[in-house]
Amino acid sequence: MARAGLSWIIRRSICQNPKLSRNLTKESNEGNNPKMSRNLTKESNEGNNVVEKLHVLFEEKDFTEIAKRVVKIAETNPQSDSPEVFHELLNQRDSEPLLLQYSNWLSSEKNPEQNSHSCWALFDVLVRAKALDAAKEFLNCTNFIPREWSLCIYIESLIKAGLVDDVTVTFRLLKSRQYCPPLKVWNKALNWLLRAGRTDGIWELYGEMMESGVGVNVGTVEYIICAFCAEGKVSEGYQLLRQAVEDGNMPSKSVFNKMISAHYKDKKYAKAASLLHLMVEKNHLPDVYTYNAVLNGFFRNGNYAQGFQVFYDLRERGYDDALLYKTMIHGLCRNGLLHEAKRLWDEMGQKGFDPDEYTYIALIHQTLKNGDVKEAKKLYEEMVRRGYKETTLSCNMMIAGYCELGKTMEAYLFYCGMPQKGLARDAVTYTTLIKGLCRKGDIKPSLKLYEQLLAKGLQPTHQTYTPIIRELCKIGDLQQAKELWHSMEARGVKPAIFSYNYIIHGLCERGECIEAMEWLVSMLKNELRPREGVFERVIHCLVDNDRLDDALRILDSMYSFGYFPGQSVSYLLIDKIYQGRSDTVLTCLQEILDSK
């Protein structure tokens, strides 16, 4: 390898690792260190033991100067590139800069292909230092095969850095050198890709496995099945799982659980049931996690009767633990069945099973939705007494519950108490309270909360803006409503359709029909679908202001959305047309009706 080539690699590694950069930029003047000169002269006269010389040199901390001394020793010592020398270098503290310079000398003076120990050592250093560009270039420019553990770390680092394409390239490079990594290395790469959510890399790498003739095992099959599930290709995953079982490769229960959950999510109950039967048939008995996947599937789709049946069947078979009860309580609360959830809650307590904070939150949330604030507060206080920490999430839930019931004062007190508990208010906290206050018409405190949200550096959403705009339009403050609208757009927040509706209605109330029509046209240009009542309100306003031609244009747009004017709008248009006796308007209306 050319000296310039490896020097480029070292520069890249230094740029990627500040520690190397700091050490390598130390400067010293050769000959100005008497102690080092004496040691070097002494050791040179003692013979050829390079390792002993390195021990003496490592007492010094100037790595640039040490590298010069090592090279001088190496030039007169044929054993300087031996494994013992590299081992000694690697074992020294902060040895990476010295090793890089030493390897630079070795690679420029000798054929690196003959020096696998040197290549291993340098590659390992680059991988540990996360100098991926330098490690990749070094691997490309030499003809060595990395050690298995180092190769695994390198591939994992590539995936974590998002360099997925380089993973397959690395395997192809090794293939060109007549080396095929063990199956466990391929499987580890598939696993890391799956965890990173890069199914595109999984398919590419799996294709390379097939081309390289790598024999797969059940672990490989499991990763491919999970990749199908991650992409929503449940049918393909199901077929592969069935084929694997027929071939004698029984996937783990966790893969079965994932497949069962995916089928229930897609409402493919028959296939989910067939997977359960397959597990029993092959003596791969479902565990409590499998049945939890089944229960979650039933409750997610509102089949709580079947969920209860599975729950009772499990208890008869001896499965009776806290996880089952928690899953049932979550599912029942999700379906609004608070009474049944409380019954199981009490039963769980009688059996000595402790609920976790998430089960508490599920029950409290449904209790609030049912309007029982007193019971919800009691459960919340019980949760805190039992040692479960209050979180921003739990406080937001209580604030939302109070606001839904119109108890904004209690919600505000909860909000005020959060800093004292060491809890940060997030955008959801502010938005939830703003919505509650606006629902009661309290616009001033809502605007104040909005300003506090911005002052905290939080990002509002359309749910933050919409209730404030609605209330401003109600009280006729259209100017501030429009300013808030423009602020929303400036922050990159996409306005909700309702925000348009509120402003258009507000403009119509003030008789500003031209501007109302412009806002409606803006909705249409943005491919938003106005409500039927918005069209009718604008038509009313235009007719009242003697803008019959514009009213007919809006009527034409209304028809294009499949809406038809109500009786009041129809009578209003007919009455206005005959009052003016405009033949042009009659002709225009006739053309509109004939085209529909």
Side-chain angles (χ1 to χ4, degrees):
M1 181 191 299
R3 183 187 300 269
L6 194 55
S7 296
W8 180 87
I9 294 172
I10 293 172
R11 285 198 303 272
R12 291 294 295 274
S13 68
I14 292 169
C15 291
Q16 291 186 356
N17 192 317
K19 177 182 174 184
L20 304 190
S21 180
R22 287 195 300 272
N23 287 333
L24 281 174
T25 53
K26 292 181 180 178
E27 299 293 338
S28 69
N29 295 319
E30 185 174 354
N32 291 339
N33 192 326
K35 179 181 178 181
M36 177 174 285
S37 299
R38 287 195 299 274
N39 286 339
L40 183 61
T41 304
K42 177 183 176 182
E43 293 299 329
S44 298
N45 292 332
E46 286 182 356
N48 296 328
N49 193 332
V50 179
V51 173
E52 290 183 6
K53 291 179 173 62
L54 290 174
H55 273 299
V56 174
L57 293 173
F58 264 106
E59 293 178 0
E60 304 297 330
K61 298 299 182 182
D62 193 328
F63 288 109
T64 302
E65 190 67 26
I66 292 171
K68 294 178 182 178
R69 299 298 190 275
V70 173
V71 170
K72 285 183 178 181
I73 294 171
E75 287 174 342
T76 59
N77 194 312
Q79 299 300 318
S80 62
D81 62 341
S82 67
E84 289 80 5
V85 172
F86 264 79
H87 179 75
E88 186 63 31
L89 287 168
L90 283 170
N91 281 338
Q92 299 304 318
R93 183 170 178 262
D94 295 330
S95 66
E96 292 94 336
L98 177 57
L99 181 59
L100 287 169
Q101 293 194 37
Y102 185 54
S103 299
N104 187 22
W105 177 81
L106 287 174
S107 300
S108 63
E109 297 294 327
K110 302 181 181 182
N111 182 0
E113 295 183 9
Q114 305 298 323
N115 198 355
S116 58
H117 288 283
S118 304
C119 291
W120 283 345
L122 180 54
F123 186 74
D124 294 348
V125 167
L126 295 174
V127 168
R128 286 201 306 267
K130 307 295 184 187
L132 297 181
D133 286 343
K136 179 170 61 176
E137 187 65 22
F138 183 70
L139 189 60
N140 291 336
C141 292
T142 56
N143 196 30
F144 83 107
I145 305 299
R147 287 179 281 203
E148 185 179 307
W149 67 268
S150 186
L151 177 61
C152 286
I153 295 174
Y154 175 61
I155 291 171
E156 183 181 12
S157 299
L158 287 175
I159 295 170
K160 286 183 177 179
L163 304 172
V164 173
D165 292 339
D166 289 333
V167 175
T168 306
V169 170
T170 300
F171 280 97
R172 287 175 183 160
L173 177 65
L174 296 174
K175 180 182 176 182
S176 70
R177 297 175 184 173
Q178 308 304 312
Y179 174 71
C180 182
L183 177 59
K184 65 179 180 181
V185 176
W186 294 87
N187 280 349
K188 282 183 178 180
L190 290 173
N191 184 26
W192 290 322
L193 287 166
L194 187 64
R195 290 183 179 183
R198 293 300 300 268
T199 54
D200 56 330
I202 288 178
W203 304 128
E204 188 175 355
L205 188 61
Y206 183 66
E208 187 64 29
M209 287 180 71
M210 297 298 98
E211 289 182 14
S212 302
V214 180
V216 303
N217 62 8
V218 66
T220 316
V221 174
E222 288 183 355
Y223 296 134
I224 300 302
I225 290 172
C226 291
F228 277 129
C229 287
E231 291 189 346
K233 299 175 180 177
V234 181
S235 298
E236 289 89 337
Y238 177 84
Q239 291 171 6
L240 181 57
L241 186 146
R242 297 287 306 208
Q243 185 62 51
V245 173
E246 290 177 12
D247 293 343
N249 295 318
M250 180 63 72
S252 65
K253 290 180 181 178
S254 64
V255 174
F256 271 97
N257 296 347
K258 188 179 288 290
M259 285 297 296
I260 289 169
S261 294
H263 279 89
Y264 275 114
K265 186 177 180 179
D266 282 2
K267 300 184 179 181
K268 297 177 180 177
Y269 306 119
K271 283 191 175 180
S274 71
L275 287 171
L276 275 174
H277 293 315
L278 180 62
M279 292 179 75
V280 175
E281 177 188 332
K282 298 295 181 180
N283 202 29
H284 202 51
L285 297 180
D287 57 18
V288 66
Y289 297 101
T290 309
Y291 285 111
N292 273 320
V294 174
L295 287 172
N296 278 320
F298 281 133
F299 284 119
R300 192 178 291 113
N301 292 286
N303 298 324
Y304 48 85
Q306 290 174 290
F308 264 115
Q309 185 60 52
V310 172
F311 175 71
Y312 292 130
D313 287 345
L314 283 172
R315 292 205 305 187
E316 289 179 5
R317 296 183 188 186
Y319 289 112
D320 196 19
D321 67 355
L323 182 58
L324 272 179
Y325 277 94
K326 292 173 186 176
T327 303
M328 285 293 293
I329 291 169
H330 275 269
L332 291 168
C333 287
R334 190 183 298 124
N335 284 272
L337 302 172
L338 183 61
H339 179 74
E340 289 80 357
K342 281 185 174 180
R343 181 171 59 81
L344 291 184
W345 175 277
D346 294 337
E347 192 176 305
M348 182 171 68
Q350 292 166 8
K351 293 189 175 184
F353 299 143
D354 291 328
D356 57 22
E357 60 185 296
Y358 300 105
T359 314
Y360 265 109
I361 287 174
L363 195 65
I364 292 168
H365 179 69
Q366 189 56 44
T367 303
L368 283 169
K369 285 183 71 174
N370 279 28
D372 194 344
V373 179
K374 186 177 180 181
E375 179 64 19
K377 188 176 180 181
K378 179 182 173 184
L379 284 168
Y380 190 90
E381 291 171 349
E382 179 186 312
M383 179 184 76
V384 175
R385 280 199 311 271
R386 296 188 70 165
Y388 297 114
K389 291 184 178 180
E390 291 182 84
T391 62
T392 300
L393 174 65
S394 64
C395 287
N396 287 348
M397 178 196 63
M398 291 298 292
I399 291 170
Y402 282 128
C403 287
E404 284 292 327
L405 298 171
K407 297 182 179 293
T408 51
M409 181 55 69
E410 289 86 342
Y412 185 73
L413 291 174
F414 229 95
Y415 160 86
C416 291
M418 289 178 70
Q420 299 168 7
K421 300 170 183 176
L423 300 175
R425 300 161 177 161
D426 59 13
V428 176
T429 313
Y430 286 97
T431 298
T432 303
L433 193 52
I434 286 170
K435 288 165 69 176
L437 290 168
C438 285
R439 197 177 291 119
K440 294 194 74 175
D442 296 331
I443 188 62
K444 287 185 179 180
S446 298
L447 287 168
K448 186 176 179 180
L449 284 171
Y450 167 72
E451 291 168 1
Q452 290 174 0
L453 181 152
L454 296 181
K456 291 279 186 181
L458 299 173
Q459 175 68 11
T461 67
H462 72 87
Q463 294 181 326
T464 313
Y465 287 103
T466 302
I468 301 177
I469 290 173
R470 182 191 66 223
E471 292 308 307
L472 287 172
C473 290
K474 274 186 180 179
I475 63 175
D477 193 348
L478 288 173
Q479 185 58 38
Q480 191 167 3
K482 287 187 284 186
E483 288 174 3
L484 203 61
W485 171 279
H486 295 311
S487 171
M488 174 168 50
E489 285 193 316
R491 292 180 179 277
V493 179
K494 186 177 180 180
I497 293 177
F498 285 121
S499 300
Y500 278 99
N501 295 343
Y502 297 139
I503 291 179
I504 291 170
H505 274 282
L507 290 168
C508 289
E509 285 293 324
R510 295 177 57 171
E512 298 179 13
C513 59
I514 301 301
E515 191 174 355
M517 185 173 65
E518 289 172 353
W519 278 81
L520 179 57
V521 170
S522 175
M523 285 187 75
L524 302 179
K525 286 181 178 178
N526 288 318
E527 299 182 351
L528 298 175
R529 186 183 182 90
R531 296 173 65 183
E532 186 176 358
V534 175
F535 280 107
E536 293 189 337
R537 189 69 188 87
V538 174
I539 291 172
H540 260 288
C541 188
L542 289 167
V543 171
D544 289 343
N545 285 271
D546 295 324
R547 302 192 66 90
L548 194 55
D549 292 349
D550 290 330
L552 292 176
R553 292 191 187 96
I554 299 301
L555 178 66
D556 189 30
S557 298
M558 185 178 181
Y559 277 123
S560 68
F561 278 90
Y563 295 141
F564 295 94
Q567 192 177 57
S568 62
V569 173
S570 299
Y571 283 146
L572 180 67
L573 282 169
I574 293 169
D575 183 58
K576 196 69 175 177
I577 290 168
Y578 277 101
Q579 278 183 13
R581 296 186 177 277
S582 171
D583 293 335
T584 304
V585 172
L586 282 171
T587 303
C588 181
L589 180 59
Q590 187 62 50
E591 289 176 356
I592 293 173
L593 295 174
D594 289 343
S595 66
K596 305 307 169 187

